[in-house]
Amino acid sequence: FLSLVAEFCCGFFVILILGNFWFLAVLYLLWLYLDWETPCTGGRRSQWVRSWTVWKYFREYFPIHLVKTSDLSPNHNYLLGFHPHGVLVAGAFGNFCTGPTFKNLFPGLTPYLHIMPIWFGCPFFREYIMSAGMVSASKDSVSYVLNNKGGGHASIIVIGGAEESLNAHPGSLTLNILKRKGFIKMALKHGAHLVPVFSFGENELFKQVANPKGSWLRNVQEKLQKIMGFALPLFHARGVFQYSFGLIPYRQPIHTVVGSPIPVKQNLNPTTEEIEQLHALYLQKLRKLFEEHKRNYGIPEHKSLIFE
């Protein structure tokens, strides 16, 4: 979805360059140069964009729900680990970048959804995603958000990243997390409380071409992901007037469950052992969150999370 919108924006920029409006393209390039660091310094959100009526229909299409299990005090900063990535990351976008739901459930907190820095190099598209409350996933960007001395900031990071989208098959519960510990280190350095978030239904929106680990397709996808920075899952779903084939996601409910915070004491120079301990605790809390809520959202009793 992001790729399609980004391609449209890039295409529009090329038209400006090749057409009679090249001077507008030059002015925008100057603006891009001067504004380059904004995605790493809190972005430039617009309540007007976040409140567009189209997002209401977007959330109701699936529908998308945000489920609160515990209060989050606005006196602290938080790092929310979002799982799983899925193909569309619809739960993260719908709950943290549109509408008043998050604000109503967690008053006093401002959510920042961190995405790959590459998207902020796309002309015009960068302005749109920043307006929705998205910022760069770079270390500097996360640090900027979590450095807010008065608290009240919530960094949302899709922990599995683009690599995890290749596991986004209906029924899949495999998370790429065992080697991902950078977010743990960031939480320790800034004293940000960790909050596990699991989005039930995220992997049910599309069907993906079979790509088991070791297959030629998976090998190609993984190599392209390392080169380009984002993955290319081969997926399909429904069409506009039929349900057999198309690129429109299936209407499957998404319930994004926000867990209880894990208190974190600030440690500017955490040791490897301290990072490992907090990472293990986070995995324990994430698994507990999943087990406590899976029955509510159609997950069979014998199914459990798989950490890779």
Side-chain angles (χ1 to χ4, degrees):
F1 176 74
L2 285 176
S3 299
L4 291 175
V5 179
E7 288 174 8
F8 173 81
C9 291
C10 289
F12 179 70
F13 185 70
V14 171
I15 291 174
L16 288 181
I17 295 176
L18 299 179
N20 295 324
F21 302 97
W22 59 268
F23 61 94
L24 293 178
V26 172
L27 288 175
Y28 184 79
L29 286 175
L30 176 60
W31 163 256
L32 194 62
Y33 174 77
L34 296 174
D35 194 58
W36 190 254
E37 294 300 322
T38 301
C40 294
T41 54
R44 188 170 44 248
R45 70 181 56 224
S46 165
Q47 193 56 43
W48 175 67
V49 173
R50 290 169 61 88
S51 301
W52 282 351
T53 303
V54 66
W55 302 135
K56 175 178 179 291
Y57 293 121
F58 173 80
R59 295 190 303 272
E60 291 178 350
Y61 171 80
F62 297 98
I64 296 174
H65 305 278
L66 187 63
V67 181
K68 174 182 177 179
T69 64
S70 176
D71 289 332
L72 299 181
S73 170
N75 296 324
H76 300 290
N77 294 317
Y78 299 89
L79 196 159
L80 279 63
F82 183 92
H83 313 270
H85 184 288
V87 171
L88 190 61
V89 205
F93 177 75
N95 285 310
F96 304 122
C97 295
T98 74
T101 306
F102 184 87
K103 182 179 180 181
N104 292 340
L105 290 179
F106 302 102
L109 284 185
T110 301
Y112 295 83
L113 179 59
H114 296 270
I115 64 174
M116 290 186 299
I118 188 174
W119 296 117
F120 296 98
C122 180
F124 302 117
F125 181 65
R126 68 189 297 275
E127 318 304 334
Y128 156 66
I129 55 180
M130 278 196 290
S131 296
M134 289 180 250
V135 292
S136 172
S138 68
K139 291 181 180 179
D140 289 342
S141 177
V142 177
S143 291
Y144 184 91
V145 173
L146 297 181
N147 262 337
N148 190 43
K149 295 188 182 301
H153 282 189
S155 280
I156 298 98
I157 301 178
V158 184
I159 304 300
E163 182 182 357
E164 194 172 84
S165 68
L166 300 178
N167 290 327
H169 296 271
S172 173
L173 296 172
T174 300
L175 304 181
N176 291 63
I177 191 172
L178 291 181
K179 296 180 180 180
R180 297 180 181 265
K181 301 170 185 176
F183 73 105
I184 298 291
K185 188 174 183 179
M186 293 299 290
L188 281 166
K189 281 190 171 184
H190 297 284
H193 294 356
L194 280 168
V195 182
V197 178
F198 195 87
S199 195
F200 291 90
E202 199 75 43
N203 283 340
E204 318 306 315
L205 306 185
F206 297 92
K207 292 180 179 178
Q208 191 173 166
V209 174
N211 60 342
K213 286 186 176 295
S215 66
W216 69 269
L217 176 58
R218 186 60 168 257
N219 290 336
V220 170
Q221 289 175 320
E222 290 176 346
K223 288 180 181 178
L224 289 175
Q225 188 263 323
K226 291 179 180 179
I227 294 172
M228 299 183 298
F230 56 90
L232 293 173
L234 299 180
F235 60 88
H236 65 89
R238 54 162 291 186
V240 178
F241 301 111
Q242 44 78 28
Y243 291 86
S244 57
F245 190 82
L247 296 179
I248 298 175
Y250 293 115
R251 298 192 70 177
Q252 296 289 341
I254 297 172
H255 293 85
T256 302
V257 183
V258 180
S260 301
I262 303 170
V264 177
K265 186 177 180 180
Q266 187 174 23
N267 183 347
L268 296 177
N269 296 293
T271 64
T272 301
E273 182 180 0
E274 289 169 332
I275 293 173
E276 292 284 353
Q277 288 178 350
L278 185 55
H279 187 260
L281 177 60
Y282 179 85
L283 294 183
Q284 177 186 331
K285 296 295 186 180
L286 174 59
R287 188 180 295 279
K288 180 181 178 183
L289 178 71
F290 173 82
E291 292 295 333
E292 288 179 347
H293 294 273
K294 67 181 183 181
R295 301 170 192 82
N296 299 333
Y297 307 117
I299 307 295
E301 184 65 31
H302 68 279
K303 290 275 190 175
S304 296
L305 294 178
I306 300 172
F307 297 146
E308 288 188 346

